[in-house]
Each structure stands twice: as structure tokens, then as C-alpha cells.
Amino acid sequence: MLGLGLLADRGFGQQRDFDVAFEWYLQAASLGLAEAQFNVAIMLDAGLGRDRDVQEAQIWYTRAALRDHARAQYNLGLLYETGDGIASNPALAAYWFGKAAQTVPAAAQKEVTQVTETRTLAPPMVTFADVGASQVELVWDADVNASATHLVEVIETPQADGNYGAPILSVATVASGILDLDSLPTNNVMWRIVNLASDDTDYAADEWSGRAGIHPPRGRITLISDPAVKSMENAASVFASSLRNAGYWVQITDDLSKKSDNFYVSYGYASDQQLANAVAAFLPSTEQITPAKQLLRSMQPGEVVVNLGAFR
């Protein structure tokens, strides 16, 4: 397909035909061939045989760049540096120039002025998504003033009355896309991209996405229960049922190493404090127990942990 595209593109043994070339490139690009993805991006970026579409070119440059195509990484850096047809983003320009620098001499010579003011939190906008049994491939746009780090989460949907598990994929990156070729154990997954604060104290996330019929969680709540205490185990079961009926995903665990004696609800990010407080308000308490406490880097965004052992 790539070869046929090149023949039509360059006019070998025939008249040049950009439309035919583009269609062949596109077929090969859709199958994951980086060189074809780069050629599709070039034609869209230059407007060869079609109207110029820089936003679409950005997607194809990124997909090729994620597959280590150095010229695609360099061209993507140029788009982010100049803001020609897309919003400029010095941080992403510097990132992609850095990836291309070992192969493309011009990339190594680039010096991009970085944003120095305080970074904000802004949910990224996903522009391409392919999350399936064979791979996870995502491309997104990031606000120029947003914090540079993004967390990609892929989670498996639990059974109606079952425990949720650890994320299938949880990767932090400063790029504008991710490619993970590890196969997923199921198609019953949801995913989202989170913009993390530079100090890991807070986040801003886009909506959970997944196939039709899968409902995203309102939040994820882990209940730590001591199986040696039957009443605690029963209370955890009743509490979990109420939470699940309200749209939360729940995990009941007997991993007592996660508990603390001086508070009974913990959360990892400031945006989850409201959820933690709501859970704490639902539970009985005593003056000796701190209702909720933030523990940095201790859990996923949108997740709280309830230490039922604090009531003993």
C-alpha cells in the first residue's frame, strides 16, 4: 500500500495523482505503518491534492511520532513551535524536538522558550482514540498554560456486585499521545486522560470513555475491613451495596497494611476531598478520629480509601 502510494505520489510510470497516493497512504497508515502515517500528515499539512487540515495532520504526525518516526517528531515540534494552524505549545515543541534530536540535526539545534508562569489544571481534549484488544493509542491537545504531566488511565469495568481492580494501564507522560502495544485482557474497559498538578496535589480530568453501555464510576472507593471482625465485614458489605447502587465502584479488601489509626477516610488529590468528606459524613465517628486526610501519591484520581478498622 505504501509502495503504491509512493508510485502515485511521485509519478513513477504514471502521472502524479495525489488523490490516489493519499488513499493508499491512508490505508497503510490506518494499519499502523509509521512511514505511511507520516506521508498522510505531510499531505494534510501541505494541502497536497486537498484542502489543508493542520489539526488532522497533527494527529497523524503524532501517531507516527509515537512509533519513533524522527521526521514526524520534528515536524510535530515545528507545528507546536510556530502555532501554524494549531495552538502553539512550547513545552510540547521542546519535547518532540528532543525526541527527534538524535536523528534530525535541525531538531538538536532548536531552543524553545518555555512558559515560566504558574501552570494551571485543564482537562486535555482527546483528538484520536483506539483502545482495544491489541493496543491503546491516544492523541490529545493540551492547553499551553496547563501543567505538563498527563496521566493515562485504563480500567476494567467490574461486575455489578464485584470489586474494582487496579488500573490495567496507568502511565504518566509529558507527551501529547501514548502508544501501548500490550493487549488488554478484555474489551470491557474505560479510559480517560488526567492533567496532573506539578506537585501531584490535584488534577483535572476529561470524562471517562468506553464502548456503548458501559457506565463510568462516580468515584472509586476502597473499604478496608478486618475479616476477623464479623461485624466489620458485614458493615463493609452493606456499605458497599449502598455505594454501588449510587453509582460508585467499590473494592473491599483485608489488606490491613493500608490502614491508619488516626483517620478513617483518605484521598490522594484535592479534587477528591469533597467525595472523601461525603463518605466520612455517612459514617459514624468519634472525637478521637480524624474524618478525612489527604495522602499524596497514595491512590488514583477519583479514589478514596475507607479504614473501617478505625471504629474498633
Side-chain angles (χ1 to χ4, degrees), residues 147-160:
S147 178
T149 303
H150 292 87
L151 177 71
V152 178
E153 281 189 280
V154 180
I155 57 177
E156 183 176 3
T157 306
Q159 298 295 322

Side-chain angles (χ1 to χ4, degrees), residues 24 49 55 87 111 113 118 123 143 159 162 175 182 184 208 219 238 268 291 303:
W24 282 119
Q55 287 80 13
E111 295 184 5
T113 302
T118 302
D143 188 277
Q159 298 295 322
D182 290 337
L184 300 180
W208 287 104
V238 172
E303 183 178 37

